[in-house]
């Protein structure tokens, strides 16, 4: 999804230790850890002193919804520090630093847009599934009234043999869906994945969401395993697409599920203007920030063209970079 992102600007402060950081806004502890790690890494590569400095972060990704807000902060920070040292870090190094900073990370440092199977706690790609996802139209929404989910407080369970077999079955289906461009098969995989996540997340709107997806002819639903952001997935080649999308938006409204943004997995430049425009997200509530990453209240745009790609800035002090959440 093009649009939401984080911007980090880092200015070195000569003569100070790496831990001597000023972080604005205060409380971005994951980004602060990433900055220290990146300073040490870049100093070792360049032979320059490892120095602290000032890190400024801005962003418009809602927190706690499973949209990769913390990883976006961390990656933007690592790239900004690298820019301040005049180096460019490869995706593997950025991934390694991100995992050390936040224990697990999303694959937002991968720039080529290919769908991958990513080990979030190891920070490495296990498999490149193919060149691109099948074409989809995604009607975004949020569950639980858009309230953040504290993933660290969720119960955890070790995967048993049944989970492993089910996961491998979904992996085979996903490979085939990507290889053949099969939107319906991809929707089946996404829905099965959402159902498994529901055992922990227990969203009260789950049955309503899956039910309205069936009634409107969607191929499935997508729900973040680490939050409340969701999407109803449509095959753009299906007849009556505009009618289906409008019906989905009406159904979401009837169930009190806030619609956020309609976007596509199409190549850059494809527009979603033809699909039903709808009102602003969060008609009733702003999303509060979690204590670890305070932010100004954020709103997701209702409907925009799908731009695609990453937008970067910086390279010399003060350096900055923008890391976008890609889903």
């Amino acid at each position: 999804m093009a649009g939401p992102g984080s911007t980090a600007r880092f200015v070195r402060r000569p003569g100070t230790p790496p831990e001597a950081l000023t972080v604005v806004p205060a409380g971005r502890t994951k980004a602060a850890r990433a900055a220290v790690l990146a300073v040490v890494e870049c100093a070792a590569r360049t032979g320059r002193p490892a120095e602290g400095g000032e890190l400024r972060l801005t962003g418009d990704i809602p927190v706690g919804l499973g949209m990769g807000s913390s990883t976006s902060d961390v990656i933007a920070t690592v790239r900004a520090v690298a820019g301040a040292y005049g180096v460019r870090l490869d995706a593997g190094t950025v991934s390694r630093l991100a995992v050390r900073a936040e224990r697990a990370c999303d694959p937002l440092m991968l720039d080529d847009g290919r769908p991958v199977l990513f080990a979030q706690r190891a920070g490495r790609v296990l498999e490149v599934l193919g060149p691109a996802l099948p074409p989809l139209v995604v009607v975004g929404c949020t569950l639980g009234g858009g309230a953040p989910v504290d993933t660290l407080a969720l119960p955890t369970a070790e995967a048993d043999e049944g989970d492993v077999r089910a996961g491998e079955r979904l992996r085979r289906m996903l490979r085939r869906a990507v290889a053949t461009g099969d939107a319906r098969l991809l929707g089946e995989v996404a829905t099965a994945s959402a159902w498994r996540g529901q055992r922990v997340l227990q969203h009260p709107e789950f049955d309503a969401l899956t039910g309205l997806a069936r009634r409107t002819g969607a191929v499935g639903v997508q729900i973040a395993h680490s939050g409340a952001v969701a999407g109803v997935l449509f095959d753009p080649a299906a007849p009556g697409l505009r009618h289906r999308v409008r019906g989905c938006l009406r159904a979401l409204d009837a169930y009190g599920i806030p619609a956020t943004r309609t976007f596509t997995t199409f190549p850059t430049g494809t527009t979603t203007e033809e699909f039903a425009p709808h009102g602003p997200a969060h008609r009733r509530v702003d999303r509060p920030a979690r204590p670890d990453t305070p932010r100004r209240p954020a709103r997701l745009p209702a409907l925009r063209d799908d731009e695609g790609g990453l937008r970067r800035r910086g390279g010399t002090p003060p350096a900055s970079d923008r890391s976008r959440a890609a889903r």
Side-chain angles (χ1 to χ4, degrees):
M1 177 195 290
S6 299
T7 299
R9 290 180 172 84
F10 178 76
V11 180
R12 293 162 56 193
R13 189 176 295 136
T16 62
E19 297 79 11
L21 280 175
T22 302
V23 183
V24 181
R28 303 285 183 91
T29 56
K30 294 176 182 178
R33 287 196 295 269
V36 174
L37 293 168
V39 163
V40 173
E41 178 77 23
C42 294
R45 289 180 178 228
T46 62
R48 298 178 182 177
E51 299 169 329
E54 181 183 78
L55 174 66
R56 288 187 173 269
L57 290 160
T58 57
D60 54 1
I61 304 178
V63 176
L65 298 186
M67 291 185 68
S69 59
S70 59
T71 297
S72 188
D73 276 356
V74 164
I75 293 173
T77 294
V78 170
R79 289 175 171 171
V81 170
Y85 274 86
V87 299
R88 182 180 178 86
L89 301 178
D90 62 88
T93 300
V94 175
S95 178
R96 173 172 54 82
L97 295 175
V99 169
R100 290 179 62 190
E102 58 171 335
R103 292 171 42 182
C105 71
D106 293 317
L108 304 183
M109 72 293 296
L110 306 178
D111 293 352
D112 62 9
R114 293 183 298 172
V116 300
L117 182 67
F118 187 75
Q120 291 177 299
R121 296 186 183 185
R124 63 187 181 92
V125 174
L126 300 178
E127 178 182 355
V128 177
L129 296 166
L133 289 173
L136 291 170
V137 172
V138 183
V139 178
C141 59
T142 55
L143 307 180
V149 174
D150 185 356
T151 54
L152 296 180
L154 292 174
T156 58
E158 292 296 323
D160 59 24
E161 284 300 315
D163 293 321
V164 172
R165 286 194 297 271
E168 185 54 38
R169 173 177 170 270
L170 292 179
R171 184 179 179 180
R172 289 194 299 268
M173 293 170 63
L174 183 57
R175 287 191 194 110
R176 190 163 70 251
V178 173
T180 61
D182 190 334
R184 185 163 295 279
L185 184 57
L186 181 64
E188 184 179 343
V189 174
T191 303
S193 178
W195 180 82
R196 300 186 74 80
Q198 172 67 3
R199 296 183 300 179
V200 173
L201 295 169
Q202 298 184 354
H203 293 299
E205 308 97 330
F206 183 82
D207 289 340
L209 188 68
T210 53
L212 72 86
R214 287 192 299 270
R215 290 193 300 275
T216 56
V219 296
V221 300
Q222 169 270 322
I223 302 176
H225 280 224
S226 59
V229 69
V232 183
L233 311 177
F234 290 90
D235 181 352
L241 177 62
R242 183 184 301 183
H243 174 74
R244 295 173 191 268
V245 170
R246 287 185 184 275
C248 176
L249 290 166
R250 286 194 298 268
L252 289 172
D253 187 65
Y255 280 109
I257 300 174
T260 53
R261 177 178 180 173
T262 300
F263 61 99
T264 77
T265 62
F266 300 171
T268 300
T270 302
T271 178
T272 55
E273 281 287 328
E274 63 180 292
F275 308 123
H278 51 84
H282 309 300
R283 290 165 295 178
R284 292 178 293 276
V285 60
D286 282 339
R287 295 175 179 145
R290 289 174 56 184
D292 184 57
T293 52
R295 296 173 182 265
R296 58 182 175 78
R299 293 176 183 268
L300 283 177
L303 183 68
R304 293 181 185 169
D305 293 353
D306 186 25
E307 301 164 354
L310 295 173
R311 183 175 303 166
R312 297 200 185 94
R313 295 194 295 270
T316 57
S320 67
D321 201 353
R322 186 168 179 91
S323 179
R324 291 186 177 276
R327 278 286 180 267

